[in-house]
Amino acid sequence: MKQRVITAVCLLAVLAVIVWQINTPALVIAVAFISAVASGEIMRCANVSNKFIKIVGITFSACTPFFASADVMLPLISAEQWGMVIGFIPNIVFVIALCLVFLLAMLKGYSHTSFEDVAISIFASVVVPFGFSIFIRLRDMFDNEQLGIYLIFFALICALATDTGAQLTGMAIGKHKMSPNISPKKTVEGAVGGLVFSLILNAVAIVIYNKVADAPLQTDLWIALLVCSLPVSFMGMMGDLSASVLKRNFNVKDFGKIFPGHGGVMDRMDSSLFTLACTYVIALVTKSVI
């Protein structure tokens, strides 16, 4: 427990610095780091033995966040200049090239590289870093930067508050197992408590945002966000369960050990990948109507 607390305090300190410097390259550097680590964790747990595929996949994961927005390098490089760099070749070209490189590596190392290794590596190197890159996409997609930053916290609250609320409620009154074959400790009562806790914290966050933001959320928008917090939080729980299924398939307890007492990046951010994706969809719809 002491180790978990110390790690949590250190993570909060790092998070505070990133939030303080959220409009600088500090955010993209942090996202690139967690993308690379998460990619490596998945390939390691899946026993991908082809070192070339692992190195290329992790490198690709670390580079992906830098292509999420033209504003990622501000103030070091202007949005116009970086936009020309990332727009010179469509992103899908890089994904296709990665798939071809992995398949060629499979042919060369056919004795120890299976198609399953390639499929898992593509997922770890493309899908996972794209999910984490949503941090940057949300920050930069609105003219009102404060709204984008708020949506980042909306996604994180839906993930972290649901997990914390579910754990506390489950410990207090949990009786009915939610998914005994996947995660025996999760209960229906805990799930409901997690959703309620997320809804409450999101309501508090909206109140705080409307008090400090230059442009408060319009009534119809904050009501819609509160309503959406429930399905988004539910998807966060599904992300957690999905990660549990993966760990059972890989026969591992944790994805990694980078956070002592907490596991790896994927152990801490599994539900956030789902809530970020859902929040990004909400942001796209919001941007089209405001």
Side-chain angles (χ1 to χ4, degrees), residues 188-236:
V188 175
E189 292 83 0
V192 174
L195 293 176
V196 172
F197 191 50
S198 174
L199 181 64
I200 293 172
L201 281 190
N202 271 302
V204 172
I206 287 174
V207 171
I208 294 174
Y209 177 85
N210 283 341
K211 286 184 177 296
V212 302
D214 296 333
L217 298 176
Q218 298 177 1
T219 302
D220 55 348
L221 180 55
W222 68 255
I223 291 176
L225 286 172
L226 275 184
V227 172
C228 288
S229 70
L230 293 175
V232 173
S233 297
F234 175 78
M235 289 303 297

Side-chain angles (χ1 to χ4, degrees), residues 135 137-142 144-153 209:
F135 280 120
R137 294 175 186 275
L138 287 175
R139 183 197 66 176
D140 297 338
M141 71 184 302
F142 293 97
N144 177 12
E145 289 185 351
Q146 292 178 338
L147 177 57
I149 293 172
Y150 163 74
L151 288 174
I152 292 175
F153 283 98
Y209 177 85

Side-chain angles (χ1 to χ4, degrees), residues 75-94:
L76 302 179
I77 303 176
S78 71
E80 181 180 356
Q81 291 175 320
W82 192 247
M84 292 176 61
V85 171
I86 65 177
F88 183 70
I89 300 176
N91 290 343
I92 190 62
V93 174
F94 295 109

Side-chain angles (χ1 to χ4, degrees), residues 82-144:
W82 192 247
M84 292 176 61
V85 171
I86 65 177
F88 183 70
I89 300 176
N91 290 343
I92 190 62
V93 174
F94 295 109
V95 175
I96 293 172
L98 180 74
C99 293
L100 292 176
V101 168
F102 280 1
L103 289 171
L104 291 174
M106 179 185 70
L107 294 177
K108 186 175 187 301
Y110 66 91
S111 61
H112 62 280
T113 306
S114 66
F115 178 74
E116 287 77 7
D117 292 338
V118 172
I120 290 171
S121 298
I122 291 173
F123 172 82
S125 305
V126 177
V127 178
V128 171
F130 177 84
F132 286 129
S133 295
I134 292 175
F135 280 120
I136 301 165
R137 294 175 186 275
L138 287 175
R139 183 197 66 176
D140 297 338
M141 71 184 302
F142 293 97
D143 293 333
N144 177 12

